């Protein structure tokens, strides 16, 4: 009975071999190896004429027997098989310790036997990191220590570096210190899903030398999301069709995915044009670890950018919406449509009269100070009635109700906001007169109707705003309003249901509208400011 003794991260186990055995990562295989470097369908073992024939199924990272890569091999008792990070030792009770006429039998202690043992240990040591008790070669131990020392330094760099480009350059530089690579590249995916070289290095230390990478190798890594090691790329059946490998004389190559969770950010690639077998399974394990850490770093960069973008978005909403509405939008309770959505809205414009002449008589600093004081008071009132601050246009303020959230009494909220703004402005003007400053006089126009709300602009800069004829009419009504007046359209007035005293005005012609518009002037109490609640509206007094 023949069997494999399997040594893996999960422990040691024995598996009997039948007449036909399939090996791979996929669960449909007779022998499943839970090793991400092993291909889904890696190899087969067939009993033929009393012997077990192993065939590699053009696996990504190859099958190694006693340290040599094989594509077809008749197994012999004691053969040490490596697939990915998994080691399998072949045992055949029928063969015992004999290999027949194919192999000379060496007695224990003979030079031949000792040489065989040394070769076997060297082969195993090149494929995996041995426990301390199994290390017999001091030189191999020093080489492994140096590799791990440099990798440790590299891991510290990954933890400390904040700039991605500098980090990628550092990774390649330190990698060249412990691996005999002639060329290396860090390739990342852009927003369109295209793979491009972000950092390149050659053995001569130049980072600007053009290099032509094998698309075949990159496609294999990207498709399988697994590391690839080719000990002799010129003879590797997987890359027989790759012209770049043949033309450039690439002998050894190694590539690992920059993979974090399910996110593939790119590929790290190394090759040697001088030597076959330049890279070992140990090297692939180390490089895979570096690739994973690099991917985690890139993921952290993406998360940091998202947090920064979310903070900017949050700041924009906090400036545009009342705090409670902003929190609802940011938490997802309210949706803000991208691309625009038609909705019923009430729009208000408030504009300082005579602002241009006032500005001409003052310094820029004085004008800014004046506007900041005025805007601060007005925005507080706007947010009190849950209006959306669309924008400041010079000295004008544009406010919307109905987007991104609508209330049944949005027109009433708009008028209450306008009334309280005018009353608050009277309080501010008394303070300004005491300072010897000229009063600020504001006209306000309000209109209600259909409009489009959403994110608008270019791909580089988008802003949440509203557009449509409703907005244009509100702006025209504002221009018609005299200092201290609040003018509303017929549509807005009809929605007020007599909640405010109002006076009908003569029909007005406004730019862009063919027919005269019916408008109404809202009457409000002058004098010291008083608070107006959403529920306590004054008794209606309709005039005209």
């Amino acid at each position: 009975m023949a069997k494999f003794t399997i040594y893996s991260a999960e422990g040691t186990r024995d598996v009997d071999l039948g007449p036909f055995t399939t090996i791979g990562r996929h669960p449909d295989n007779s022998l499943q190896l839970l090793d991400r470097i092993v291909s889904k369908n890696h190899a087969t073992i067939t009993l033929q004429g009393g012997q077990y024939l192993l065939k590699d199924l053009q696996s990504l990272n190859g099958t190694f027997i006693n340290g040599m890569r094989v594509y077809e091999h008749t197994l012999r008792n004691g053969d040490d098989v490596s697939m990915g990070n998994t080691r399998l030792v072949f045992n055949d009770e029928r063969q015992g310790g004999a290999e027949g006429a194919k192999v000379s039998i060496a007695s224990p202690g003979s030079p031949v036997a000792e040489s065989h043992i040394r070769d076997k240990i060297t082969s195993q040591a090149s494929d995996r990191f041995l426990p301390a008790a199994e290390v017999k070669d001091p030189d191999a131990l020093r080489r492994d220590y140096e590799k791990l020392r440099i990798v440790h330094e590299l891991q510290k760099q990954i933890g400390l570096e904040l700039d991605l480009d500098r980090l990628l350059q550092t990774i390649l530089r330190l990698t060249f210190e412990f691996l005999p690579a002639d060329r290396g590249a860090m390739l990342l995916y852009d927003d369109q899903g295209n793979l491009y070289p972000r950092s390149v290095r050659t053995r001569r230390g130049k980072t600007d030398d053009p290099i032509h990478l094998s698309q075949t190798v990159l496609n294999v890594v990207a498709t399988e999301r697994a590391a690839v090691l080719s000990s002799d790329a010129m003879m590797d059946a997987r890359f027989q069709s790759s012209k770049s490998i043949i033309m450039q004389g690439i002998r050894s190559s190694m590539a690992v995915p920059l993979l974090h969770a399910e996110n593939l950010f790119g590929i790290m690639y190394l090759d040697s044009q001088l030597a076959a077998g330049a890279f070992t399974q140990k090297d692939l394990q180390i490089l895979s670890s570096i690739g994973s850490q690099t991917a985690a770093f890139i993921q952290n960069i993406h998360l940091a950018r998202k947090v920064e973008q979310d903070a900017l978005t949050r700041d924009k909403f906090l400036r545009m919406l009342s705090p409670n509405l902003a929190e609802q939008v940011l938490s997802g309770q309210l949706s803000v449509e991208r691309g625009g959505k038609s909705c019923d809205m009430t729009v208000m414009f408030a504009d300082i009269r005579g602002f241009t002449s006032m500005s001409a008589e003052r310094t820029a600093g004085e004008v800014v100070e004046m506007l900041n004081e005025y805007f601060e008071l007005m925005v507080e009132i706007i947010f009190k009635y849950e209006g959306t601050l669309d924008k400041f246009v010079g000295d004008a303020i544009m406010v919307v109700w109905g987007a991104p959230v609508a209330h049944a009494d949005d027109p009433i909220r708009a008028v209450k906001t306008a009334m309280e703004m005018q009353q608050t402005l009277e309080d501010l003007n008394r303070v300004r007169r005491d300072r010897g400053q000229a009063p600020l006089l504001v006209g306000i126009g309000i209109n209600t109707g259909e409009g489009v709300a959403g994110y608008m602009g270019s791909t580089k800069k988008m802003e949440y705003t509203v557009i449509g004829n409703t907005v244009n009419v509100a702006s025209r009504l504002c221009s018609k309003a005299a200092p201290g007046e609040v003018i509303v359209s017929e549509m807005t007035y009809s929605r007020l249901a007599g909640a405010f005293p109002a006076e009908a005005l003569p029909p007005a012609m406004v730019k862009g509208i063919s027919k005269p518009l019916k408008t109404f002037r809202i009457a409000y109490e002058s004098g010291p400011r008083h608070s107006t609640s959403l529920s306590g509206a004054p008794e209606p007094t309709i005039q005209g």
Side-chain angles (χ1 to χ4, degrees):
M1 177 67 70
K3 66 180 180 180
F4 267 139
T5 300
I6 303 174
Y7 303 88
S8 67
E10 300 175 338
T12 303
R13 59 190 171 114
D14 289 335
V15 175
D16 293 332
L17 297 178
F20 181 71
T21 303
T22 61
I23 304 174
R25 198 172 72 248
H26 197 277
D28 289 344
N29 287 287
S30 310
L31 175 53
Q32 182 186 15
L33 299 180
L34 298 177
D35 184 331
R36 69 181 184 87
I37 301 181
V38 171
S39 295
K40 293 180 180 178
N41 300 294
H42 197 102
T44 62
I45 299 178
T46 306
L47 181 60
Q48 295 181 352
Q51 294 183 314
Y52 287 90
L53 178 67
L54 182 148
K55 289 185 178 181
D56 183 273
L57 301 178
Q58 295 187 356
S59 60
L60 291 175
N61 296 305
T63 300
F64 294 80
I65 296 183
N66 302 324
M68 299 295 294
R69 181 163 189 164
V70 299
Y71 298 96
E72 187 171 313
H73 177 82
T74 299
L75 291 171
R76 300 179 179 86
N77 187 54
D79 274 349
D80 196 306
V81 183
S82 293
M83 298 181 184
N85 291 323
T86 304
R87 177 188 173 209
L88 308 92
V89 176
F90 178 71
N91 298 291
D92 191 344
E93 296 175 354
R94 300 167 307 156
Q95 293 182 7
E99 300 290 348
K102 297 177 182 178
V103 180
S104 300
I105 306 300
S107 59
S110 69
V112 175
E114 291 177 357
S115 174
H116 173 74
I117 292 172
R118 282 196 303 271
D119 290 345
K120 191 173 185 64
I121 291 174
T122 301
S123 169
Q124 293 175 1
S126 67
D127 289 337
R128 64 189 183 95
F129 291 98
L130 298 173
E134 297 182 29
V135 176
K136 306 299 182 183
D137 185 349
D139 291 334
L141 180 62
R142 291 189 183 93
R143 289 193 297 270
D144 286 348
Y145 172 81
E146 184 62 14
K147 289 181 179 181
L148 296 176
R149 183 191 68 78
I150 295 174
V151 171
H152 175 67
E153 293 297 321
L154 181 54
Q155 290 171 339
K156 289 196 300 183
Q157 290 290 330
I158 293 177
L160 296 175
E161 185 57 73
L162 299 177
D163 182 86
L164 178 59
D165 288 311
R166 285 202 301 267
L167 175 65
L168 298 181
Q169 293 168 10
T170 300
I171 290 174
L172 284 178
R173 177 176 58 81
L174 291 178
T175 299
F176 271 61
E177 290 186 17
F178 72 89
L179 290 177
D182 293 318
R183 310 181 308 169
M186 304 291 288
L187 302 104
L188 300 183
Y189 285 101
D190 59 20
D191 294 338
Q192 287 71 46
N194 300 314
L195 195 63
Y196 71 99
R198 185 73 174 259
S199 182
V200 175
R201 188 176 182 85
T202 66
R203 174 57 62 183
R204 291 180 294 173
K206 293 186 177 182
T207 58
D208 55 353
D209 284 355
I211 66 174
H212 302 283
L213 306 181
S214 168
Q215 190 64 49
T216 305
V217 175
L218 299 180
N219 287 342
V220 169
V221 177
T223 302
E224 293 291 332
R225 295 192 167 202
V228 168
L229 170 64
S230 179
S231 297
D232 192 344
M234 297 288 288
M235 302 298 294
D236 198 323
R238 294 171 297 174
F239 311 130
Q240 290 292 315
S241 62
S242 178
K243 295 181 180 179
S244 59
I245 287 178
I246 298 171
M247 293 178 65
Q248 297 179 75
I250 297 172
R251 299 305 305 274
S252 300
S253 65
M254 183 163 52
V256 299
L258 304 182
L259 185 66
H260 181 75
E262 296 300 318
N263 299 318
L264 180 62
F265 296 109
I267 296 172
M268 183 177 181
Y269 174 92
L270 298 173
D271 69 30
S272 172
Q273 297 173 288
L274 300 178
F279 310 123
T280 67
Q281 286 290 327
K282 279 184 186 177
D283 299 331
L284 189 67
Q285 294 171 31
I286 292 175
L287 204 67
S288 295
S289 175
I290 293 173
S292 297
Q293 286 186 299
T294 304
F297 177 85
I298 297 173
Q299 172 74 0
N300 290 338
I301 289 179
H302 288 183
L303 290 175
R305 288 175 179 169
K306 184 178 185 303
V307 169
E308 182 180 0
Q309 186 60 44
D310 288 347
L312 291 174
T313 302
R314 181 185 184 87
D315 183 63
K316 287 181 180 179
F317 276 120
L318 287 174
R319 292 175 182 273
M320 185 176 70
L321 302 174
S322 61
N324 62 322
L325 288 182
E327 290 300 332
Q328 291 181 55
V329 172
L330 293 169
S331 66
Q333 297 178 42
L334 293 176
S335 63
V336 179
E337 297 294 330
R338 294 181 181 273
K341 177 182 179 182
S342 179
C343 60
D344 185 74
M345 62 181 66
T346 297
V347 182
M348 181 186 80
F349 279 87
D351 185 67
I352 299 176
R353 299 295 179 250
F355 178 75
T356 303
S357 59
M358 290 177 64
S359 301
E361 299 171 359
R362 290 166 176 77
T363 65
E366 290 173 336
V367 172
V368 170
E369 183 178 356
M370 175 183 69
L371 287 177
N372 285 341
E373 182 180 41
Y374 164 71
F375 287 149
E376 189 74 29
L377 294 171
M378 300 301 105
V379 170
E380 182 180 350
I381 300 168
I382 292 166
F383 285 172
K384 174 182 175 181
Y385 294 100
E386 296 188 333
T388 299
L389 179 60
D390 188 288
K391 62 175 68 73
F392 297 114
V393 186
D395 61 300
I397 304 174
M398 177 180 168
V399 188
V400 182
W401 284 264
V405 62
H407 305 89
D409 61 345
D410 278 335
I412 292 177
R413 291 171 183 255
V415 173
K416 286 185 175 182
T417 300
M419 291 169 58
E420 191 165 329
M421 287 172 66
Q422 292 288 18
Q423 291 163 348
T424 300
L425 189 60
E426 291 180 7
D427 295 341
L428 174 60
N429 284 333
R430 279 190 288 272
V431 174
R432 288 182 60 82
R433 290 189 186 96
D434 292 341
R435 296 176 188 159
Q437 298 171 331
L440 299 178
L441 303 176
V442 173
I444 298 177
I446 301 174
N447 184 35
T448 301
E450 288 291 318
V452 176
Y455 277 99
M456 300 175 198
S458 70
T459 55
K460 296 183 180 295
K461 181 176 176 59
M462 300 189 75
E463 295 289 345
Y464 185 81
T465 188
V466 295
I467 60 173
N469 189 59
T470 298
V471 179
N472 298 335
V473 171
S475 177
R476 302 290 184 253
L477 293 181
C478 177
S479 65
K480 294 288 185 181
E485 284 189 338
V486 177
I487 304 298
V488 302
S489 67
E490 183 179 20
M491 179 63 76
T492 301
Y493 177 74
S494 67
R495 301 281 188 91
L496 299 179
F500 304 95
E503 176 186 356
L505 299 175
M509 293 297 299
V510 298
K511 185 178 180 181
I513 304 297
S514 59
K515 295 181 180 181
L517 295 179
K518 291 183 179 181
T519 59
F520 297 82
R521 179 193 295 120
I522 300 297
Y524 62 91
E525 182 181 348
S526 299
R529 180 178 58 154
H530 61 277
S531 177
T532 307
S533 68
L534 291 176
S535 59
E539 291 297 323
T541 304
I542 308 300
Q543 301 177 355

